[in-house]
Amino acid sequence: MSNSASTADSSTDSNSTQRQGRQVAKRAFAAELNEATHVFKESDEERAPKFALLPSGEIANRYFLVGTVTEVNDVGKDSEYWQARIVDPTGTVFVYAGQYQPDAAAFLYGLEPPAYVAITAKPSTYETDDGNVNVSLRPETITRVDEATRNQWVRETIDRTAARLDAFENGGEDGTDSTPYVAMCREQYGDNLSLEVYHDALNDAREDVGMDAVRYDDADGEVEVEAEADTKGGYTRVYDTDDADQSDDGDHDTDSNSESDPEGPTKEGAIDEAALASAVANAGLEE
């Protein structure tokens, strides 16, 4: 497992991995993940991966998130089909596991909420009777973690999301959109696209882990820091692993799970990388 000091996603990283092999898992808060309702393929190939368009101007074939399972229910009719309600500082996402995710289903069956979990999952969308599009997740890996791991994920996801928003708002050096997905966001989400919502969500996340809020001026697109937040000293990014050589569009593949908790911080703000190995086994995560 490798470390990375990078705090921002890059279009180069995304484009270089999305053509073949397992896609990198992107970090996103529930507030944004639930609004990533546009799903598309970048080629006409039968097994081409599907991508969800994040409103902050990035695409995701898979997500990596850490949150609190507050409720687990069997919602299946003819067979077990487990629904887990997972919350983060910005909202709620729903995870579903059935016969095609047997390890995840068994894990949820034996889980007693509330519990912190780390999960890699693929997004699914479905349209309700009233025409709304809802987002849910199909788990690939899921394991229990501790509060320190959850808080670290929150800080890391703040960095990632803030970097995406900054790239969206400020564009490239030549004044054009930083990635083609920014233009796609404007086209697909139109008047419903409000980046202020995600700036507010980031402040909710910052408050949750004791960071200082950042004021967002929607009138001219400027972001002003109210106070210097001490968020970088002492903690190490731990969620990067080598990509696995695995097809990315199969609906029936689920990695093995572990219910053991990680060891926790080895020093203030740092988490032992080996502690998360079971949560992200064979998962290619953002660098």
Side-chain angles (χ1 to χ4, degrees):
M1 183 177 293
S2 61
N3 294 331
S4 172
S6 172
T7 60
D9 302 329
S10 68
S11 60
T12 300
D13 175 64
S14 174
N15 292 336
S16 65
T17 59
Q18 65 193 24
R19 295 297 184 267
Q20 60 183 3
R22 174 176 287 232
Q23 309 301 310
V24 294
K26 301 299 178 69
R27 297 170 180 81
F29 286 116
E32 183 178 12
L33 188 155
N34 285 324
E35 298 302 318
T37 56
H38 178 62
V39 177
F40 66 100
K41 291 184 176 182
E42 293 199 316
S43 80
D44 295 328
E45 296 179 8
E46 182 179 355
R47 293 184 64 82
K50 292 182 179 180
F51 294 96
L53 180 65
L54 288 166
S56 58
E58 181 58 278
I59 59 173
N61 171 260
R62 303 160 66 236
Y63 292 114
F64 174 57
L65 65 151
V66 181
T68 307
V69 176
T70 60
E71 187 177 353
V72 177
N73 294 297
D74 181 4
V75 297
K77 295 181 180 179
D78 299 326
S79 60
E80 290 186 353
Y81 193 57
W82 292 94
Q83 177 199 69
R85 184 178 187 268
I86 301 179
V87 300
D88 70 18
T90 74
T92 301
V93 295
F94 288 94
V95 171
Y96 293 88
Q99 61 178 324
Y100 298 124
Q101 301 84 29
D103 293 330
F107 176 89
L108 293 176
Y109 168 79
L111 186 66
E112 183 176 348
Y116 294 119
V117 298
I119 178 172
T120 56
K122 289 192 175 184
S124 296
T125 58
Y126 62 95
E127 187 171 342
T128 62
D129 293 338
D130 57 6
N132 292 324
V133 178
N134 290 342
V135 176
S136 63
L137 299 177
R138 292 181 290 109
E140 295 178 323
T141 67
I142 183 169
T143 192
R144 290 181 66 108
V145 295
D146 61 10
E147 184 178 10
T149 302
R150 177 265 189 190
N151 290 345
Q152 168 126 354
W153 177 86
V154 171
R155 295 186 181 97
E156 185 78 5
T157 305
I158 289 170
D159 282 347
R160 302 285 177 158
T161 306
R164 293 197 300 267
L165 292 173
D166 181 69
F168 190 116
E169 294 164 332
N170 296 321
E173 294 181 357
D174 58 357
T176 61
D177 289 332
S178 55
T179 75
Y181 306 118
V182 170
M184 187 184 293
C185 284
R186 294 193 177 100
E187 177 183 355
Q188 294 297 329
Y189 299 134
D191 294 338
N192 293 325
L193 182 61
S194 172
L195 298 186
E196 184 176 4
V197 171
Y198 308 114
H199 283 288
D200 289 342
L202 287 183
N203 278 338
D204 290 339
R206 292 182 179 106
E207 180 180 2
D208 186 271
V209 292
M211 296 169 60
D212 293 320
V214 173
R215 187 171 66 250
Y216 172 67
D217 187 352
D218 191 37
D220 56 16
E222 293 182 356
V223 178
E224 301 177 11
V225 179
E226 292 181 342
E228 187 69 21
D230 182 17
T231 64
K232 299 296 174 59
Y235 81 87
T236 304
R237 307 179 193 286
V238 300
Y239 299 123
D240 299 302
T241 77
D242 294 333
D243 289 350
D245 183 13
Q246 178 173 334
S247 173
D248 67 313
D249 64 346
D251 290 339
H252 303 168
D253 59 327
T254 303
D255 297 326
S256 61
N257 306 306
S258 169
E259 297 189 27
S260 59
D261 287 339
E263 296 290 335
T266 56
K267 62 180 180 178
E268 182 178 0
I271 298 174
D272 183 2
E273 292 184 30
L276 283 180
S278 59
V280 296
N282 297 322
L285 304 177
E286 292 172 298
E287 294 182 355

